[in-house]
Amino acid sequence: RISRRRIECRRDIHRMNIPFLDIYESLKPSEEEKAKQKQLMALLEKHVNKEWPEARLYLYGSCANSFGFKKSDIDVCLAIDDLNVNKSEVLLKLADILQADNLQNVQALTRARVPIVKLMDPVTGISCDICVNNLLAVINTKLLRDYALIDERLRQLAFIIKHWAKSRGVNETYQGTLSSYAYVLMCINFLQQRNPAILPCLQRMERTYAVNVDNAECAYFDQVEKLVGFGSQNRETIAQLVWEFFSYWAFYHDYTNEVISVREGITLSKHEKDWTRRVGNDRHLICIEDPFEITHDLGRVVDKYSIRVLREEFERAAEIMQYHSEPWVTLFEPY
Ligand code: ATP
Ligand code: MG
């Protein structure tokens, strides 16, 4: 393994911006698709409010955090205030109601890790998963969306990284690789640490937004319209950032000692988080702190086999960015 290799200057990096931006544009959902999602949400709200007048529906995940590709499914959270609510009962009831309308393939999966109702809307062609009271996901969706509004390079970078991860088969939590959510957090932290910084650390600023969910205090500066232009001192472009991102994860990240923290905008030490050894199934081989559930390591799905796969993929990507004449082609070749 090559470790901590110094990356050499690549003088022709700028000619790579347009091909990378073209890929980004080709993955973005259209306004028409967004409109269809809204239409389906309105339909679901109508049904839900008949049964639970106080309940609210939220979009979360990639359809709402601005990091979603076109033709994605949507994730919806049904929020019911009643603390004693039995999630399985709610989901079964919900499935009954939606079945009665002409929605297709309605299924309640009450025994899943995150219990949901799945369905497909034949009018818009959109598939959807509905969960109950998963409010932390709704709030971390807002955090991601707010970061994306500060500097468009975040969305460009995260799209390229997600597209790479999906093409290379390293976006599969059930196989021990990382979730899309984890990759976006890696991109945010990376841009917080550029010099000059491209993104601020919203959780260390004045708290203009604060909620308490499941005993987690979620607070940060959310008036992001005031932060547009924050990163303008830094002129790095998308091709440079993709290259530096992969070099960082291939050669510079200290896997033995460091934790990526969007909450602090820096890397923390594994020691201070007490993430130095395996506890149960949490091996902490690559550490990415959840911004709100701070005892939660998004790298905990990674095991001793998949860490090798991941690191080899980071190294492959870094090598391609360093030496290939058309990295935007080879980077995304199926594995
Ligand atoms: P994709 O485009 O691949 O579907 P996604 O943004 O929907 O990407 P997922 O990883 O499927 O990403 O996660 C959906 C949402 O669920 C995330 O945006 C996040 O709000 C929440 N989430 C996912 N995994 C976790 C986790 N381990 N801890 C907390 N929240 C999570
Ligand atoms: Mg999703």
Side-chain angles (χ1 to χ4, degrees), residues 153-232:
R153 287 171 288 185
L154 169 59
R155 210 169 158 222
Q156 295 167 352
L157 177 65
F159 265 63
I160 299 293
I161 301 305
K162 270 180 69 173
H163 181 43
W164 162 82
K166 286 176 195 288
S167 310
R168 301 298 300 170
V170 288
N171 180 211
E172 308 287 357
T173 47
Y174 69 94
Q175 288 180 353
T177 55
L178 299 169
S179 66
S180 296
Y181 177 58
Y183 282 113
V184 175
L185 292 173
M186 287 155 75
C187 291
I188 294 174
N189 184 262
F190 173 76
L191 297 181
Q192 287 173 325
Q193 300 211 63
R194 301 310 294 157
N195 185 14
I198 293 180
L199 290 177
C201 176
L202 295 176
Q203 287 171 278
R204 294 183 59 175
M205 297 170 62
E206 180 198 349
R207 299 165 162 212
T208 54
Y209 171 83
V211 283
N212 237 302
V213 183
D214 307 342
N215 300 320
E217 151 95 314
C218 306
Y220 67 93
F221 184 78
D222 76 334
Q223 297 174 2
V224 285
E225 63 287 351
K226 295 185 182 157
L227 296 172
V228 173
F230 174 92
S232 58

Coordinates of all heavy atoms in Angstrom, one line a residue, residues 153-232:
R153 N -20.3 24.5 -4.6 CA -19.3 23.5 -4.8 C -19.5 22.3 -3.9 O -19.1 21.1 -4.3 CB -17.9 24.0 -4.5 CG -17.4 25.0 -5.7 CD -16.1 25.7 -5.3 NE -16.3 26.7 -4.3 CZ -15.4 27.6 -3.9 NH1 -14.2 27.5 -4.4 NH2 -15.7 28.5 -3.0
L154 N -20.2 22.4 -2.8 CA -20.6 21.3 -2.0 C -21.5 20.3 -2.8 O -21.2 19.1 -2.8 CB -21.3 21.7 -0.7 CG -21.9 20.5 0.1 CD1 -20.9 19.5 0.4 CD2 -22.6 21.0 1.3
R155 N -22.5 20.9 -3.4 CA -23.4 20.0 -4.2 C -22.7 19.3 -5.3 O -22.9 18.1 -5.6 CB -24.6 20.8 -4.6 CG -25.9 20.1 -4.7 CD -27.1 20.9 -5.0 NE -28.1 20.1 -5.6 CZ -28.9 20.6 -6.5 NH1 -28.8 21.8 -7.0 NH2 -29.9 19.8 -7.0
Q156 N -21.9 20.1 -6.0 CA -21.1 19.5 -7.1 C -20.2 18.4 -6.7 O -20.2 17.3 -7.2 CB -20.2 20.6 -7.8 CG -21.1 21.7 -8.4 CD -20.2 22.9 -8.8 OE1 -19.0 23.0 -8.4 NE2 -20.8 23.9 -9.5
L157 N -19.5 18.6 -5.6 CA -18.5 17.6 -5.1 C -19.3 16.4 -4.6 O -19.0 15.2 -5.0 CB -17.7 18.2 -3.9 CG -16.8 17.2 -3.3 CD1 -15.6 16.8 -4.2 CD2 -16.1 17.9 -2.0
A158 N -20.4 16.6 -3.8 CA -21.1 15.4 -3.3 C -21.8 14.6 -4.4 O -21.8 13.4 -4.3 CB -22.1 15.9 -2.3
F159 N -22.2 15.3 -5.4 CA -22.8 14.5 -6.6 C -21.8 13.6 -7.2 O -22.0 12.4 -7.5 CB -23.4 15.5 -7.6 CG -24.9 15.7 -7.5 CD1 -25.4 16.3 -6.4 CD2 -25.8 15.3 -8.5 CE1 -26.7 16.6 -6.2 CE2 -27.1 15.6 -8.4 CZ -27.6 16.2 -7.2
I160 N -20.6 14.2 -7.4 CA -19.5 13.4 -8.1 C -19.1 12.2 -7.2 O -19.0 11.1 -7.6 CB -18.3 14.3 -8.4 CG1 -18.7 15.4 -9.4 CG2 -17.1 13.5 -8.9 CD1 -19.0 14.9 -10.7
I161 N -19.0 12.5 -5.9 CA -18.6 11.4 -4.9 C -19.6 10.3 -4.8 O -19.3 9.1 -4.8 CB -18.2 12.0 -3.5 CG1 -17.1 13.1 -3.6 CG2 -17.8 10.9 -2.5 CD1 -15.8 12.6 -4.3
K162 N -20.9 10.8 -4.7 CA -22.0 9.8 -4.6 C -22.0 8.9 -5.9 O -22.2 7.7 -5.9 CB -23.3 10.4 -4.4 CG -23.7 10.6 -3.0 CD -25.1 11.3 -2.8 CE -26.3 10.5 -3.3 NZ -27.6 11.1 -3.0
H163 N -21.9 9.6 -7.1 CA -21.9 8.9 -8.3 C -20.8 7.9 -8.4 O -20.9 6.7 -8.8 CB -21.8 9.9 -9.5 CG -21.9 9.3 -10.8 ND1 -22.8 8.3 -11.2 CD2 -21.2 9.6 -12.0 CE1 -22.6 8.0 -12.5 NE2 -21.6 8.8 -13.0
W164 N -19.6 8.3 -8.0 CA -18.4 7.4 -7.9 C -18.7 6.2 -7.0 O -18.5 5.0 -7.4 CB -17.2 8.2 -7.5 CG -16.1 7.3 -7.0 CD1 -15.1 6.7 -7.7 CD2 -15.8 7.0 -5.6 NE1 -14.3 6.0 -6.9 CE2 -14.7 6.1 -5.6 CE3 -16.4 7.3 -4.4 CZ2 -14.1 5.6 -4.4 CZ3 -15.9 6.8 -3.2 CH2 -14.7 6.0 -3.2
A165 N -19.2 6.5 -5.8 CA -19.5 5.4 -4.8 C -20.5 4.4 -5.3 O -20.4 3.2 -5.1 CB -19.9 6.0 -3.5
K166 N -21.6 4.9 -6.0 CA -22.6 4.0 -6.6 C -22.0 3.2 -7.7 O -22.2 2.0 -7.8 CB -23.8 4.8 -7.0 CG -24.7 5.3 -5.8 CD -25.8 6.2 -6.3 CE -26.4 7.0 -5.2 NZ -27.2 6.2 -4.2
S167 N -21.2 3.8 -8.6 CA -20.6 3.1 -9.7 C -19.6 2.0 -9.3 O -19.5 1.0 -9.9 CB -19.8 4.1 -10.6 OG -20.6 5.2 -11.0
R168 N -18.9 2.3 -8.2 CA -17.9 1.4 -7.7 C -18.3 0.4 -6.7 O -17.6 -0.3 -6.1 CB -16.7 2.2 -7.2 CG -16.0 3.1 -8.2 CD -15.4 2.4 -9.4 NE -14.4 1.5 -9.0 CZ -13.9 0.6 -9.8 NH1 -14.3 0.5 -11.1 NH2 -13.0 -0.3 -9.4
G169 N -19.6 0.5 -6.3 CA -20.2 -0.5 -5.4 C -19.8 -0.2 -3.9 O -19.8 -1.2 -3.1
V170 N -19.4 1.0 -3.6 CA -19.0 1.3 -2.2 C -20.0 2.2 -1.5 O -19.7 3.0 -0.6 CB -17.6 1.8 -2.1 CG1 -16.6 0.7 -2.3 CG2 -17.3 3.0 -3.0
N171 N -21.3 2.0 -1.9 CA -22.4 2.8 -1.3 C -23.5 1.8 -0.8 O -24.6 2.0 -1.1 CB -22.9 3.8 -2.3 CG -24.1 4.7 -1.9 OD1 -24.9 5.1 -2.7 ND2 -24.2 5.0 -0.6
E172 N -23.0 0.7 -0.1 CA -23.9 -0.4 0.3 C -23.7 -0.7 1.7 O -22.8 -1.5 2.1 CB -23.6 -1.6 -0.6 CG -23.5 -1.4 -2.1 CD -24.9 -1.3 -2.7 OE1 -25.9 -1.4 -2.0 OE2 -24.9 -1.1 -3.9
T173 N -24.5 -0.1 2.6 CA -24.3 -0.3 4.0 C -24.4 -1.8 4.4 O -23.7 -2.3 5.3 CB -25.2 0.5 4.9 OG1 -26.5 0.4 4.4 CG2 -24.8 2.0 4.9
Y174 N -25.2 -2.5 3.7 CA -25.4 -4.0 4.1 C -24.2 -4.8 3.7 O -24.0 -5.9 4.2 CB -26.7 -4.5 3.5 CG -26.6 -4.7 2.0 CD1 -26.2 -5.9 1.4 CD2 -27.0 -3.6 1.2 CE1 -26.2 -6.0 0.0 CE2 -26.9 -3.7 -0.2 CZ -26.5 -4.9 -0.8 OH -26.4 -5.0 -2.1
Q175 N -23.3 -4.2 2.9 CA -22.0 -4.9 2.5 C -20.8 -4.2 3.2 O -19.7 -4.5 2.9 CB -21.8 -4.8 1.0 CG -22.7 -5.7 0.2 CD -22.4 -5.7 -1.3 OE1 -21.6 -4.9 -1.7 NE2 -23.1 -6.6 -2.0
G176 N -21.1 -3.4 4.2 CA -20.0 -2.8 5.0 C -19.4 -1.6 4.4 O -18.3 -1.2 4.9
T177 N -20.0 -1.0 3.4 CA -19.5 0.3 2.9 C -20.4 1.4 3.3 O -21.3 1.2 4.1 CB -19.2 0.3 1.4 OG1 -20.4 -0.1 0.7 CG2 -18.1 -0.7 1.1
L178 N -20.2 2.6 2.9 CA -20.8 3.8 3.5 C -22.1 4.2 2.9 O -22.3 4.1 1.7 CB -19.8 5.0 3.5 CG -18.5 4.7 4.3 CD1 -17.5 5.8 4.0 CD2 -18.8 4.6 5.8
S179 N -23.0 4.8 3.7 CA -24.3 5.4 3.2 C -24.0 6.7 2.5 O -23.0 7.3 2.6 CB -25.2 5.6 4.3 OG -24.7 6.7 5.2
S180 N -25.0 7.1 1.7 CA -24.9 8.4 1.0 C -24.8 9.5 2.0 O -24.0 10.5 1.8 CB -26.1 8.6 0.1 OG -26.2 7.7 -0.9
Y181 N -25.5 9.4 3.1 CA -25.5 10.4 4.2 C -24.0 10.5 4.7 O -23.5 11.6 4.9 CB -26.4 9.9 5.3 CG -26.5 10.7 6.5 CD1 -26.8 12.1 6.4 CD2 -26.3 10.2 7.8 CE1 -26.9 12.8 7.6 CE2 -26.4 10.9 8.9 CZ -26.7 12.2 8.8 OH -26.8 13.0 10.0
A182 N -23.3 9.4 4.9 CA -21.9 9.5 5.4 C -21.0 10.2 4.3 O -20.2 11.0 4.7 CB -21.4 8.1 5.6
Y183 N -21.2 9.9 3.0 CA -20.4 10.5 2.0 C -20.6 12.0 2.0 O -19.7 12.8 1.8 CB -20.6 9.9 0.6 CG -19.9 8.6 0.4 CD1 -20.7 7.4 0.3 CD2 -18.5 8.5 0.4 CE1 -20.0 6.2 0.1 CE2 -17.9 7.3 0.2 CZ -18.7 6.1 0.0 OH -18.0 4.9 -0.1
V184 N -21.9 12.5 2.2 CA -22.1 13.9 2.1 C -21.5 14.6 3.4 O -20.9 15.6 3.2 CB -23.7 14.2 2.1 CG1 -23.9 15.7 2.2 CG2 -24.3 13.7 0.8
L185 N -21.5 13.9 4.5 CA -20.8 14.5 5.7 C -19.3 14.6 5.5 O -18.7 15.5 5.9 CB -21.1 13.6 6.9 CG -22.6 13.7 7.4 CD1 -22.8 12.7 8.6 CD2 -23.0 15.1 7.9
M186 N -18.8 13.6 4.8 CA -17.3 13.6 4.5 C -17.0 14.8 3.6 O -16.0 15.5 3.8 CB -16.9 12.3 3.8 CG -16.8 11.1 4.8 SD -17.0 9.5 3.9 CE -15.4 9.3 3.2
C187 N -17.9 15.1 2.6 CA -17.7 16.2 1.7 C -17.8 17.6 2.5 O -17.0 18.5 2.3 CB -18.7 16.2 0.6 SG -18.5 14.9 -0.6
I188 N -18.8 17.7 3.4 CA -19.0 18.9 4.2 C -17.7 19.2 5.0 O -17.2 20.2 5.0 CB -20.2 18.8 5.1 CG1 -21.5 18.8 4.2 CG2 -20.3 20.1 6.0 CD1 -22.8 18.6 5.0
N189 N -17.3 18.1 5.7 CA -16.1 18.3 6.6 C -14.9 18.7 5.8 O -14.1 19.5 6.2 CB -15.9 17.0 7.4 CG -14.8 17.2 8.4 OD1 -13.6 16.8 8.2 ND2 -15.0 17.9 9.5
F190 N -14.8 18.0 4.6 CA -13.6 18.3 3.8 C -13.6 19.8 3.4 O -12.6 20.5 3.4 CB -13.7 17.4 2.5 CG -12.7 17.7 1.5 CD1 -11.4 17.3 1.6 CD2 -13.1 18.4 0.3 CE1 -10.4 17.6 0.6 CE2 -12.1 18.7 -0.7 CZ -10.8 18.3 -0.5
L191 N -14.8 20.4 3.0 CA -14.8 21.8 2.6 C -14.7 22.7 3.8 O -14.2 23.8 3.6 CB -16.1 22.0 1.8 CG -16.3 21.3 0.5 CD1 -17.6 21.6 -0.2 CD2 -15.1 21.5 -0.4
Q192 N -15.1 22.3 5.0 CA -14.9 23.1 6.2 C -13.4 23.2 6.5 O -12.9 24.2 7.0 CB -15.5 22.4 7.4 CG -17.0 22.5 7.5 CD -17.6 21.7 8.6 OE1 -17.1 20.6 9.0 NE2 -18.7 22.2 9.2
Q193 N -12.6 22.2 6.0 CA -11.2 22.2 6.3 C -10.3 22.7 5.2 O -9.0 22.7 5.4 CB -10.7 20.8 6.7 CG -11.5 20.3 7.9 CD -10.7 19.3 8.8 OE1 -9.7 19.7 9.3 NE2 -11.1 18.1 8.8
R194 N -10.8 23.2 4.1 CA -10.0 23.8 3.1 C -9.4 25.1 3.7 O -9.9 25.7 4.6 CB -10.8 24.1 1.8 CG -11.4 22.9 1.1 CD -10.6 21.8 0.9 NE -9.5 22.0 0.0 CZ -8.3 21.3 -0.1 NH1 -8.1 20.3 0.8 NH2 -7.4 21.6 -1.0
N195 N -8.3 25.5 3.0 CA -7.7 26.7 3.5 C -7.5 27.7 2.3 O -6.7 27.3 1.4 CB -6.3 26.4 4.1 CG -5.7 27.6 4.7 OD1 -6.3 28.6 4.9 ND2 -4.4 27.5 5.0
P196 N -8.2 28.8 2.3 CA -9.3 29.2 3.2 C -10.5 28.3 3.1 O -10.8 27.6 2.1 CB -9.7 30.6 2.6 CG -8.7 31.0 1.5 CD -8.0 29.7 1.1
A197 N -11.3 28.3 4.2 CA -12.5 27.4 4.3 C -13.5 27.7 3.2 O -13.7 28.9 2.9 CB -13.1 27.5 5.7
I198 N -14.1 26.7 2.7 CA -15.2 26.9 1.7 C -16.6 26.8 2.4 O -17.5 27.5 2.0 CB -15.1 25.8 0.6 CG1 -13.8 26.1 -0.2 CG2 -16.3 25.8 -0.3 CD1 -13.6 25.1 -1.4
L199 N -16.6 26.1 3.5 CA -17.9 26.1 4.4 C -17.5 26.4 5.8 O -16.5 26.0 6.3 CB -18.5 24.7 4.3 CG -19.1 24.2 3.0 CD1 -19.6 22.8 3.1 CD2 -20.3 25.1 2.6
P200 N -18.5 27.1 6.5 CA -18.3 27.3 7.9 C -18.7 26.1 8.7 O -19.1 25.1 8.2 CB -19.2 28.5 8.2 CG -20.4 28.2 7.2 CD -19.7 27.6 6.0
C201 N -18.6 26.3 10.0 CA -19.2 25.2 10.9 C -20.4 25.8 11.6 O -20.4 26.5 12.5 CB -18.1 24.8 12.0 SG -18.8 23.6 13.1
L202 N -21.6 25.4 11.0 CA -22.9 26.0 11.5 C -23.2 25.7 12.9 O -23.8 26.5 13.6 CB -24.0 25.6 10.6 CG -23.9 26.0 9.1 CD1 -25.1 25.4 8.3 CD2 -24.0 27.5 9.0
Q203 N -22.8 24.6 13.4 CA -23.1 24.2 14.8 C -22.2 24.9 15.8 O -22.5 24.9 17.0 CB -23.0 22.7 15.0 CG -24.2 22.0 14.3 CD -24.0 20.5 14.3 OE1 -23.3 19.9 13.5 NE2 -24.6 19.8 15.3
R204 N -21.2 25.6 15.4 CA -20.4 26.4 16.3 C -20.7 27.9 16.2 O -20.0 28.7 16.9 CB -18.9 26.2 16.0 CG -18.5 24.7 16.4 CD -17.1 24.5 16.2 NE -16.3 25.4 17.0 CZ -14.9 25.3 17.1 NH1 -14.3 24.5 16.4 NH2 -14.3 26.2 17.9
M205 N -21.7 28.2 15.5 CA -22.1 29.6 15.3 C -23.3 29.9 16.2 O -23.9 29.0 16.9 CB -22.4 30.0 13.9 CG -21.2 29.8 13.0 SD -21.5 29.9 11.2 CE -22.1 31.5 11.1
E206 N -23.8 31.2 16.2 CA -25.0 31.6 17.0 C -26.2 30.6 16.6 O -26.4 30.3 15.4 CB -25.4 33.0 16.6 CG -26.6 33.6 17.2 CD -27.1 34.8 16.5 OE1 -26.4 35.3 15.6 OE2 -28.2 35.2 16.9
R207 N -26.9 30.2 17.6 CA -28.0 29.3 17.4 C -29.3 30.0 17.0 O -30.0 30.5 17.8 CB -28.3 28.5 18.7 CG -27.1 27.7 19.0 CD -27.1 27.2 20.4 NE -26.2 26.1 20.5 CZ -26.3 25.1 21.3 NH1 -27.4 24.9 22.1 NH2 -25.4 24.1 21.3
T208 N -29.6 30.0 15.7 CA -30.8 30.6 15.3 C -31.9 29.6 15.1 O -33.1 29.9 14.8 CB -30.6 31.3 13.9 OG1 -30.0 30.4 13.0 CG2 -29.7 32.5 14.1
Y209 N -31.6 28.3 15.2 CA -32.5 27.2 15.1 C -32.2 26.2 16.1 O -31.0 25.8 16.3 CB -32.4 26.6 13.7 CG -33.1 25.3 13.4 CD1 -34.5 25.4 13.1 CD2 -32.5 24.1 13.6 CE1 -35.2 24.2 12.9 CE2 -33.2 22.9 13.4 CZ -34.6 23.0 13.0 OH -35.3 21.8 12.8
A210 N -33.2 25.8 16.9 CA -32.9 24.8 18.0 C -34.1 24.0 18.3 O -35.2 24.5 18.4 CB -32.5 25.6 19.3
V211 N -34.0 22.7 18.3 CA -35.0 21.8 18.6 C -34.4 20.7 19.4 O -33.3 20.4 19.3 CB -35.8 21.2 17.4 CG1 -36.7 22.1 16.8 CG2 -34.8 20.6 16.4
N212 N -35.3 20.0 20.2 CA -34.9 18.9 21.0 C -35.6 17.7 20.5 O -36.8 17.6 20.4 CB -35.3 19.1 22.5 CG -34.1 19.0 23.4 OD1 -33.4 18.0 23.4 ND2 -33.8 20.1 24.1
V213 N -34.8 16.7 20.1 CA -35.4 15.5 19.5 C -34.8 14.3 20.2 O -33.5 14.2 20.2 CB -35.2 15.4 18.0 CG1 -35.9 14.1 17.4 CG2 -35.7 16.6 17.3
D214 N -35.6 13.4 20.7 CA -35.1 12.1 21.3 C -33.8 12.4 22.2 O -32.8 11.8 22.1 CB -34.6 11.1 20.2 CG -35.7 10.8 19.2 OD1 -36.8 11.1 19.5 OD2 -35.3 10.3 18.1
N215 N -34.0 13.4 23.1 CA -32.9 13.8 24.0 C -31.7 14.4 23.3 O -30.6 14.6 24.0 CB -32.5 12.7 24.9 CG -33.7 12.2 25.7 OD1 -34.4 13.0 26.2 ND2 -33.8 10.9 25.8
A216 N -31.7 14.6 22.0 CA -30.5 15.2 21.4 C -30.9 16.7 21.1 O -32.0 17.0 20.7 CB -30.2 14.5 20.0
E217 N -30.0 17.5 21.5 CA -30.1 19.0 21.3 C -29.6 19.3 19.9 O -28.4 19.1 19.6 CB -29.3 19.7 22.4 CG -28.8 21.0 22.0 CD -29.8 22.2 22.5 OE1 -31.0 22.0 22.3 OE2 -29.3 23.1 23.0
C218 N -30.5 19.7 19.0 CA -30.1 20.0 17.6 C -30.2 21.5 17.5 O -31.3 22.1 17.4 CB -31.1 19.4 16.7 SG -31.3 17.6 16.9
A219 N -29.1 22.2 17.4 CA -29.1 23.7 17.3 C -27.9 24.1 16.4 O -26.8 23.6 16.4 CB -28.9 24.3 18.7
Y220 N -28.2 25.1 15.6 CA -27.2 25.7 14.7 C -27.7 27.0 14.1 O -28.8 27.3 14.2 CB -26.7 24.6 13.7 CG -27.7 24.3 12.6 CD1 -27.8 24.9 11.4 CD2 -28.7 23.2 12.8 CE1 -28.7 24.6 10.4 CE2 -29.6 22.9 11.8 CZ -29.6 23.6 10.6 OH -30.5 23.2 9.7
F221 N -26.8 27.6 13.4 CA -27.1 28.9 12.7 C -27.7 28.5 11.3 O -27.0 27.9 10.5 CB -25.8 29.7 12.5 CG -26.0 31.0 11.8 CD1 -26.5 32.1 12.6 CD2 -25.7 31.2 10.5 CE1 -26.7 33.3 12.0 CE2 -26.0 32.5 9.9 CZ -26.5 33.5 10.6
D222 N -29.0 28.8 11.1 CA -29.6 28.4 9.9 C -30.0 29.5 9.0 O -30.6 29.3 7.9 CB -30.8 27.5 10.2 CG -32.0 28.3 10.6 OD1 -31.9 29.4 11.2 OD2 -33.2 27.8 10.4
Q223 N -29.5 30.7 9.3 CA -29.8 31.9 8.4 C -28.7 31.9 7.3 O -27.9 32.8 7.1 CB -29.8 33.2 9.1 CG -30.9 33.2 10.2 CD -30.8 34.4 11.1 OE1 -30.0 35.3 10.9 NE2 -31.8 34.5 12.0
V224 N -28.7 30.8 6.5 CA -27.6 30.6 5.6 C -27.6 31.6 4.4 O -26.5 31.8 3.8 CB -27.5 29.2 5.0 CG1 -27.0 28.2 6.1 CG2 -28.9 28.7 4.5
E225 N -28.7 32.3 4.2 CA -28.7 33.3 3.1 C -27.7 34.4 3.4 O -27.1 35.0 2.5 CB -30.1 33.8 2.8 CG -30.8 34.6 3.9 CD -31.3 33.7 5.1 OE1 -31.3 32.5 5.0 OE2 -31.7 34.3 6.1
K226 N -27.4 34.5 4.7 CA -26.4 35.5 5.1 C -25.0 35.0 4.9 O -24.0 35.8 5.1 CB -26.6 35.9 6.6 CG -27.9 36.6 6.9 CD -28.0 37.0 8.4 CE -29.3 37.6 8.6 NZ -29.7 37.6 10.0
L227 N -24.8 33.8 4.6 CA -23.5 33.2 4.4 C -23.1 32.9 3.0 O -22.0 32.4 2.7 CB -23.4 31.9 5.2 CG -23.5 32.0 6.7 CD1 -23.6 30.6 7.3 CD2 -22.4 32.8 7.3
V228 N -23.9 33.3 2.0 CA -23.6 33.1 0.6 C -22.4 34.0 0.3 O -22.3 35.1 0.7 CB -24.8 33.5 -0.3 CG1 -24.4 33.4 -1.7 CG2 -26.0 32.6 0.0
G229 N -21.4 33.4 -0.3 CA -20.1 34.1 -0.5 C -19.1 33.8 0.5 O -17.9 34.2 0.4
F230 N -19.5 33.0 1.6 CA -18.5 32.7 2.6 C -17.2 32.1 2.1 O -16.1 32.5 2.6 CB -19.2 31.6 3.6 CG -18.2 31.1 4.6 CD1 -18.2 31.7 5.9 CD2 -17.4 30.0 4.4 CE1 -17.3 31.3 6.8 CE2 -16.5 29.6 5.3 CZ -16.5 30.2 6.6
G231 N -17.3 31.3 1.1 CA -16.1 30.6 0.6 C -15.4 31.3 -0.6 O -14.5 30.7 -1.2
S232 N -15.8 32.5 -0.8 CA -15.3 33.1 -2.1 C -13.8 33.4 -2.1 O -13.2 33.6 -3.1 CB -16.1 34.4 -2.4 OG -16.0 35.3 -1.4

